[in-house]
Every structure is written in C-alpha cells, then in structure tokens.
Amino acid sequence: DLKSAKLQDLEAGQLCVVCRHGVGRRVQVEVLPKPGVVGWLTTATKAEVLLLRISDDEAHAALHPREPELVMVTVAAATAPVGSSWVEVFIMDDASLLDVKRALAEKLRSGPQVLTKGRFVQRRGAASFAGLRDEERLGGRRDLLFMGVDLH
C-alpha cells in the first residue's frame, strides 16, 4: 500500500533505505539508487519485524555507487589438479560471467569453442559441480572454475 505518488512504481526487490518508522506497519523510505525519492509505505507485517537495519557504510555505498574497477580474475580448470592449469584475465568488476568467458576466449585464442562448450562451475562436493549462469555478475569473485574446454 504505497501512500506517495513518487513510490507508485516501486518494484519487488527494489532497494530502499528506511528513513524512519511510523505507527504500526508504516515506514518512510528513500528509494535507491534515486536519492531524494522519499515516501511512506505500509508493509505487510509490522515494520519492526520486516525491516533489517543496514550499516551507515552500506547505506552510503547504495546512495553513492562506485565506479567499476579493473580486476584480475584467475580461471582454473575444474577437473585438473589444483594449480596445474589456470589463466588470468583482466576485466571490469561489474562484468557478467559471459563477459569473463569472452575475455577468456580472446586470451586463449580458441575461437567460439570457449563460448559454446565451456562453462563456469562451482564445487558442490568432492567430485560434483554446479553450473553458473552466464548472466550472473562477477561481483566479488576473483577465482573461477571452468570446464568443457582445455585452458592451454
């Protein structure tokens, strides 16, 4: 139940900073990443139960997004012994895993094989892996496991 015209387009999962609590289920929020868009909304449950407080650093980071940075990502063969086969690529930290895969293909000069047959995975057990989607963001990951194509 949105009580401000400015908040009518609020989407599920959109990040907001709670400015203050009202009575019962009402909270005043500032919509991120658009500082200045402030309004009241009524939550589905009591505000005290629903809301999770964030630190001042997290609020500052959300209000003032930083510029993407160039980072080094180490890509290792998922099924090779540790440290035996790896490649380093440099890419912006806001890239998708598909972007990392493209940079890897360029570095290996292997043509479309890396893009079509290769995939990033994460270890799920001693001998099992779960695939990562190409559209996932790199985020804080700096070491990735890769399978389907040789990294030589």
Side-chain angles (χ1 to χ4, degrees), residues 109-142:
R109 295 188 175 129
S110 63
Q113 201 173 23
V114 168
L115 298 174
T116 58
K117 293 184 179 179
R119 63 187 173 132
F120 290 109
V121 295
Q122 61 186 18
R123 192 171 295 281
R124 286 288 185 203
S128 62
F129 299 93
L132 299 173
R133 295 185 180 165
D134 283 345
E135 53 277 353
E136 284 186 50
R137 291 280 159 205
L138 177 61
R141 300 179 192 142
R142 298 298 175 262

Side-chain angles (χ1 to χ4, degrees), residues 68-75 88-104 120 137-139 141-142 144:
E69 295 178 9
L70 186 66
V71 295
M72 182 180 73
V73 177
T74 303
V75 179
E88 293 173 341
V89 293
F90 290 87
I91 194 152
M92 302 306 280
D93 65 353
D94 65 342
S96 69
L97 292 182
L98 179 58
D99 295 329
V100 177
K101 197 187 286 187
R102 287 181 182 134
L104 181 63
F120 290 109
R137 291 280 159 205
L138 177 61
R141 300 179 192 142
R142 298 298 175 262
L144 294 168

Side-chain angles (χ1 to χ4, degrees), residues 19-56:
C19 300
R20 62 184 189 189
H21 290 82
V23 178
R25 297 179 290 169
R26 302 222 343 122
V27 292
Q28 185 182 39
V29 297
E30 182 171 13
V31 179
L32 301 178
K34 303 173 188 173
V37 178
V38 178
W40 287 91
L41 63 91
T42 303
T43 62
T45 61
K46 285 206 172 201
E48 294 78 18
V49 174
L50 176 73
L51 300 173
L52 190 67
R53 296 194 186 275
I54 60 173
S55 72
D56 290 339

